[in-house]
Amino acid sequence: QEKAATLFFFFSKTTEDKTTRSTAIMLSANEDEKCGRLQKALNSYLTISSDSTSKVAAEALVKAGMISTQLKDKQQARQLFEKAADLKDADPWNSIAALGIMRLAYEEKNYQKVLERSSQAIASSNIEECSQALLLTSQAERQLGHFQKALELDDRLLKEFPGSESAHDAAFTRLLLLQALKDPS
């Protein structure tokens, strides 16, 4: 992996083609990340994000945001996710970025921010991402005291994604919501 990262990086420096260069840098960054060289991978992703098409830039921004989260730089992660989420024509990376924003906002107890990005993340075609976005939205609604909305979201999650990991968590929070609503059922 270290050799591959070095070769891809070297190749990116020798090619004139912008698309090929971006691909080589992306592959180099992926290999650096696998080897645990997170700062080097982060720098490569940041380079690509400013020198690529929307879709490639969004992917690089999301990956850079994930590394920033690992490095405990939540402010940078949030900025990178925001930038990726707002890029045009960058699906599926927009919804992944929106989910990243939601996670960070929930950790910071900024439940309104979770709700602001929820529709973008819920629109994901990826089952696990969509179910996670539904769960975070439900939890934010519950924290804001909107128990009925949260219950509806949990019911939707359990119905549409019954086998997901998020559905397992939703089943428990659903019980908490029924208790809070004093539901006789």
Side-chain angles (χ1 to χ4, degrees):
Q1 289 174 336
E2 289 180 27
K3 259 186 182 177
T6 303
L7 289 172
F8 287 132
F9 183 75
F10 176 74
F11 184 72
S12 74
K13 296 296 183 192
T14 61
T15 184
E16 297 290 320
D17 182 59
K18 186 177 178 179
T19 304
T20 304
R21 184 175 55 245
S22 291
T23 302
I25 294 171
M26 183 71 83
L27 291 169
S28 176
N30 283 332
E31 295 304 321
D32 282 331
E33 190 175 354
K34 289 177 191 174
C35 291
R37 295 189 300 245
L38 297 180
Q39 192 60 52
K40 189 172 181 185
L42 175 63
N43 293 337
S44 294
Y45 288 134
L46 292 174
T47 299
I48 299 167
S49 72
S50 61
D51 189 34
S52 300
T53 63
S54 288
K55 197 165 195 164
V56 174
E59 179 181 359
L61 288 164
V62 166
K63 289 182 176 188
M66 290 176 176
I67 290 174
S68 293
T69 302
Q70 284 181 301
L71 295 174
K72 308 288 188 234
D73 189 346
K74 292 182 181 184
Q75 182 178 351
Q76 182 180 25
R78 184 176 26 269
Q79 290 170 347
L80 294 167
F81 287 140
E82 291 276 354
K83 199 171 177 184
D86 293 338
L87 285 175
K88 302 272 188 253
D89 303 320
D91 286 333
W93 298 104
N94 301 97
S95 57
I96 296 169
L99 184 58
I101 294 165
M102 290 175 69
R103 286 181 181 137
L104 290 171
Y106 191 83
E107 286 175 17
E108 295 168 351
K109 298 181 181 357
N110 185 348
Y111 305 120
Q112 198 56 46
K113 185 70 164 179
V114 173
L115 299 179
E116 287 171 14
R117 287 293 181 167
S118 67
S119 61
Q120 187 179 16
I122 290 171
S124 174
S125 58
N126 181 292
I127 291 172
E128 201 54 44
E129 290 164 13
C130 184
S131 65
Q132 288 175 24
L134 280 168
L135 181 63
L136 279 171
T137 305
S138 168
Q139 290 175 340
E141 291 286 13
R142 182 172 59 90
Q143 293 294 337
L144 292 170
H146 307 149
F147 301 132
Q148 190 59 47
K149 284 182 185 178
L151 183 61
E152 290 167 12
L153 289 162
D154 280 348
D155 287 343
R156 177 180 169 192
L157 174 56
L158 291 165
K159 181 181 177 190
E160 292 180 21
F161 308 105
S164 71
E165 192 174 312
S166 298
H168 178 73
D169 294 337
F172 177 72
T173 58
R174 187 175 185 281
L175 290 174
L176 297 175
L177 291 166
L178 290 171
Q179 182 182 17
L181 289 168
K182 298 181 180 22
D183 189 303
S185 64

